[in-house]
Amino acid sequence: MNAVDSPYKPLDVDTLPARLVEIEEVTSRLGQDTSNWKVREVGDGNLNLVFIVESPKSSIIVKQALPYVRLVGDSWPLPLKRAFFEYHALTRQAERDPGSVPEIYFFDETQALIVMEFLSPHVILRHSLMQGVRHGGLAKVLGNFCARTLFRGSDLSMDTTKRKEDVALFVDNAALCDITENLVFSDPYFDAEMNRHTTPQLDDIVAELRADIDLKVEAQHMKSAFCTNAETMLHGDLHAGSVMVHGDETKIIDPEFVTYGPMGFDIGMLIANFLMAYYAQAGHEASPGERDDYREWILSVVDETWTTFSTEFSRLWREERTGILYQKTLYEDQGHEVAAEQALGHRLNAIWQDTLGFAGVEMHRRILGLAHNIEFESIENEDLRSQCERPSLKLGRQLVVNRSRMPNMAMVLDLAREFEGKKHA
Ligand code: SR1
Ligand code: MG
């Protein structure tokens, strides 16, 4: 049995070269001489091993799933098959929005291992957001990515048999959906075992939110939408840790939480993470107000992401509506262009409201649940950290509960500023 056929084994910096040297897609890039390869394990996410392998010729990324949640340990088993779903999500995203994701060189299902392009010198977007670094074109890439992958993975565009096959394929990613269902939509709203928050500074607002009947009802409406509305193929975990940036280049990574779900989920999670980065600035600026311009830049990214999304979604609606929904035969072909535009407006409005609701729960779970984000977590002074987290919790509540009463982004951004005590527009 050669190494490629052997049973699953988690790899490390010492065992990885022997595995990789048998893979032509690797040696064609790195060469055969493993003695001059440099291997580093750099995974800082919650689930997987991630290696950078460099040779004098080139470099690659190797991502391997572990049979458990890395963040928690082997007491929480997790299927290796998530690598299979991630691979299939990446191939579809590459087709639907070319250039938006890293190139995949090789996939080994048994080893739950994906070999892909090393994006260098890119950094995880969260780090730029903490350092106050701006990236041109960021909102354009993210908004277009959402519009293209969400539209082209749905019955607005796909051959419906293929779409149903994909629904069936990805439905088996149930363990990762289960994580989202619990950690995002339920745990934050009660005293769940794995929860944690900045204590005691947030105790009062946490108690208030967990006693908030309207919030608990609306959060479950969002969960219901996530669980039952298999509208399109989602990235499933589109936060600032799933985006890599360098200068004006942006790439989207890590779709292992891929599932069929409602369109507003990805874009809502994305917007939530920008809003949290906005509130975290006080914990990262050298002096109060130093980052005010940067704060406004973050809000402009939120605004432009939604505008880009809705513009590109509308273009796709008009030019690529080839699926079984809102067929041109019923509308344009009957001279009823106005019906097509009316239906588009209704769909965008539904996505908008979902976007706000999903953004709100994401803002709660990153402060109240198990999986926090580094923008807040790296603020060592707990008083200051809680001052950053508090407005995020408040805005999250407004987004979940009042999403149907917020007709546009200007209103959302004004509210964001108001909770931050920033009156400038
Ligand atoms: C146990 S996994 C916790 C979180 O990490 C991932 O990045 C997802 O966001 C998940 O909810
Ligand atoms: Mg991830």
Side-chain angles (χ1 to χ4, degrees), residues 46-47 69 71-72 76 179-180 183-184 237 239 257 269 365-366 370-371:
N46 295 331
L47 302 180
V69 174
L71 172 70
V72 174
W76 187 346
I179 290 178
T180 303
L183 295 194
V184 176
D237 199 27
H239 50 68
F257 282 77
M269 185 176 274
R365 73 95 169 213
R366 293 286 181 193
L370 168 74

Side-chain angles (χ1 to χ4, degrees), residues 243-353:
V243 177
M244 294 197 73
V245 282
H246 169 61
D248 293 352
E249 188 170 274
T250 299
K251 298 272 183 184
I252 291 96
I253 61 169
D254 272 7
E256 68 203 306
F257 282 77
V258 56
T259 184
Y260 261 76
M263 295 194 177
F265 185 79
D266 278 352
I267 189 152
M269 185 176 274
L270 199 51
I271 283 174
N273 278 267
F274 280 115
L275 292 171
M276 287 186 280
Y278 170 79
Y279 287 124
Q281 291 306 309
H284 300 284
E285 62 192 350
S287 57
E290 186 224 17
R291 293 272 186 93
D292 278 355
D293 287 349
Y294 190 67
R295 285 180 172 89
E296 280 302 307
W297 178 78
I298 294 177
L299 295 189
S300 77
V301 172
V302 173
D303 192 25
E304 197 188 344
T305 299
W306 173 261
T307 307
T308 303
F309 167 78
S310 54
T311 303
E312 179 66 358
F313 188 91
S314 301
R315 185 190 71 77
L316 295 167
W317 177 279
R318 290 172 191 130
E319 296 176 10
E320 289 189 18
R321 219 169 66 251
T322 52
I324 59 166
L325 295 180
Y326 308 94
Q327 292 150 295
K328 292 199 170 191
T329 43
L330 285 173
Y331 293 166
E332 286 89 340
D333 294 357
Q334 309 295 327
H336 291 161
E337 282 79 6
V338 70
E341 290 301 303
Q342 188 173 316
L344 168 61
H346 292 171
R347 292 311 318 151
L348 278 174
N349 188 46
I351 297 169
W352 167 252
Q353 288 191 25

Side-chain angles (χ1 to χ4, degrees), residues 51-329:
F51 301 92
I52 297 171
V53 187
E54 294 168 293
S55 83
K57 286 179 71 184
S58 190
S59 45
I60 55 170
I61 286 283
V62 179
K63 179 172 177 179
Q64 188 182 36
L66 288 164
Y68 53 84
V69 174
R70 184 175 185 169
L71 172 70
V72 174
D74 55 12
S75 61
W76 187 346
L78 201 60
L80 295 172
K81 202 172 176 190
R82 64 186 186 274
F84 167 90
F85 297 117
E86 175 166 356
Y87 167 71
H88 284 285
L90 282 164
T91 59
R92 283 155 180 75
Q93 289 167 344
E95 273 170 26
R96 291 169 191 163
D97 188 20
S100 62
V101 298
E103 190 184 341
I104 302 303
Y105 301 144
F106 180 76
F107 171 57
D108 180 341
E109 188 175 349
T110 310
Q111 299 303 322
L113 183 146
I114 303 173
V115 181
M116 65 186 114
E117 179 185 5
F118 175 36
L119 299 168
S120 176
H122 299 59
V123 296
I124 293 288
L125 174 59
R126 287 195 192 289
H127 295 287
S128 279
L129 294 171
M130 286 189 289
Q131 286 159 11
V133 178
R134 299 169 200 227
H135 295 280
L138 177 62
K140 283 263 176 316
V141 173
L142 295 175
N144 282 331
F145 175 81
C146 288
R148 292 169 189 166
T149 57
L150 301 177
F151 186 93
R152 291 174 174 155
S154 79
D155 260 334
L156 291 169
S157 163
M158 278 179 90
D159 172 273
T160 196
T161 303
K162 289 206 176 79
R163 192 196 80 96
K164 288 177 172 76
E165 284 167 5
D166 269 10
V167 172
L169 179 90
F170 289 115
V171 82
D172 201 20
N173 202 15
L176 276 81
C177 275
D178 179 73
I179 290 178
T180 303
E181 286 151 9
N182 289 312
L183 295 194
V184 176
F185 294 102
S186 289
D187 287 7
Y189 301 106
F190 77 107
D191 187 17
E193 202 185 328
M194 291 186 296
N195 284 349
R196 61 194 172 85
H197 64 261
T198 308
T199 307
Q201 290 87 342
L202 293 180
D203 284 353
D204 59 336
I205 190 168
V206 173
E208 207 179 290
L209 291 173
R210 290 190 179 142
D212 188 327
I213 300 301
D214 291 338
L215 177 60
K216 288 176 87 159
V217 170
E218 294 303 327
Q220 290 307 290
H221 287 332
M222 297 321 300
K223 182 174 182 175
S224 172
F226 177 78
C227 297
T228 62
N229 184 4
E231 194 175 19
T232 193
M233 190 194 87
L234 301 177
H235 176 286
D237 199 27
L238 193 50
H239 50 68
S242 297
V243 177
M244 294 197 73
V245 282
H246 169 61
D248 293 352
E249 188 170 274
T250 299
K251 298 272 183 184
I252 291 96
I253 61 169
D254 272 7
E256 68 203 306
F257 282 77
V258 56
T259 184
Y260 261 76
M263 295 194 177
F265 185 79
D266 278 352
I267 189 152
M269 185 176 274
L270 199 51
I271 283 174
N273 278 267
F274 280 115
L275 292 171
M276 287 186 280
Y278 170 79
Y279 287 124
Q281 291 306 309
H284 300 284
E285 62 192 350
S287 57
E290 186 224 17
R291 293 272 186 93
D292 278 355
D293 287 349
Y294 190 67
R295 285 180 172 89
E296 280 302 307
W297 178 78
I298 294 177
L299 295 189
S300 77
V301 172
V302 173
D303 192 25
E304 197 188 344
T305 299
W306 173 261
T307 307
T308 303
F309 167 78
S310 54
T311 303
E312 179 66 358
F313 188 91
S314 301
R315 185 190 71 77
L316 295 167
W317 177 279
R318 290 172 191 130
E319 296 176 10
E320 289 189 18
R321 219 169 66 251
T322 52
I324 59 166
L325 295 180
Y326 308 94
Q327 292 150 295
K328 292 199 170 191
T329 43

